[in-house]
Amino acid sequence: MTTRIRAARPEDAAACVTILRDWIVSEPWMPMLHTRASMETFWTSRLSEVPAQVLVKDNQVTGFAVFDAPWLTALYLTPAARGQGNGARLLTAITTGAPVTDLWVFEANTVAHQFYAAQGFREVRRTAGDNEEGLPDIHMRRG
């Protein structure tokens, strides 16, 4: 069983959307704001516009990360890919050479907040929900 990281391609959008939608469904506090079709259209375009990496295990996309420097705009893994260092591997692959990396993490997503803190990110500020979801979030920065 081989796991590797490679550049994302627009045709990876459906797999990335599945990972993202599964995560949204697993979090009771997270609203599902968009249809699968609209998400696939968005991510097909996004994966061709900005640097993105996918984690592939046995020819299946099991995670993805998007970096629109200096912003890490996405980093999601399937449940089976979590807890094995894959998040750190994707983060390193996508941000190598970047002097500063910024991101937003939902305040309710304590697992992600702890993960990013362990990767050297520090809290910059909090909002009461200045985002599409209307949820409190935390701006974090490394570098």
Side-chain angles (χ1 to χ4, degrees):
M1 295 189 180
T2 305
T3 302
R4 63 187 173 93
I5 295 173
R6 65 162 170 78
R9 303 182 291 254
E11 56 268 23
D12 295 321
C16 294
V17 167
T18 296
I19 292 166
L20 178 55
R21 288 179 65 86
D22 287 352
W23 176 79
I24 292 169
V25 168
S26 75
E27 300 298 337
W29 49 267
M30 186 68 183
M32 182 73 71
L33 300 178
H34 304 284
T35 65
R36 179 176 188 87
S38 68
M39 289 174 79
E40 284 190 20
T41 298
F42 172 82
W43 284 103
T44 298
S45 174
R46 192 84 173 127
L47 294 178
S48 63
E49 295 171 347
V50 297
Q53 300 280 321
V54 291
L55 178 73
V56 179
K57 182 175 183 178
D58 300 328
N59 296 318
Q60 298 280 11
V61 173
T62 60
F64 70 102
V66 178
F67 188 58
D68 192 0
W71 293 94
L72 178 69
T73 58
L75 196 162
Y76 295 93
L77 299 169
T78 63
R82 296 179 197 149
Q84 303 169 40
N86 291 319
R89 288 178 57 214
L90 264 175
L91 181 62
T92 298
I94 199 76
T95 62
T96 295
V100 175
T101 301
D102 286 284
L103 60 87
W104 287 97
V105 61
F106 292 109
E107 185 177 279
N109 193 351
T110 57
V111 171
H113 186 238
Q114 292 168 357
F115 166 77
Y116 290 121
Q119 302 304 311
F121 286 81
R122 62 177 173 73
E123 187 174 318
V124 175
R125 69 183 174 112
R126 291 177 180 245
T127 77
D130 299 340
N131 52 57
E132 182 179 29
E133 295 81 2
L135 297 172
D137 56 1
I138 304 166
H139 174 194
M140 298 183 79
R141 177 175 291 147
R142 181 177 68 185

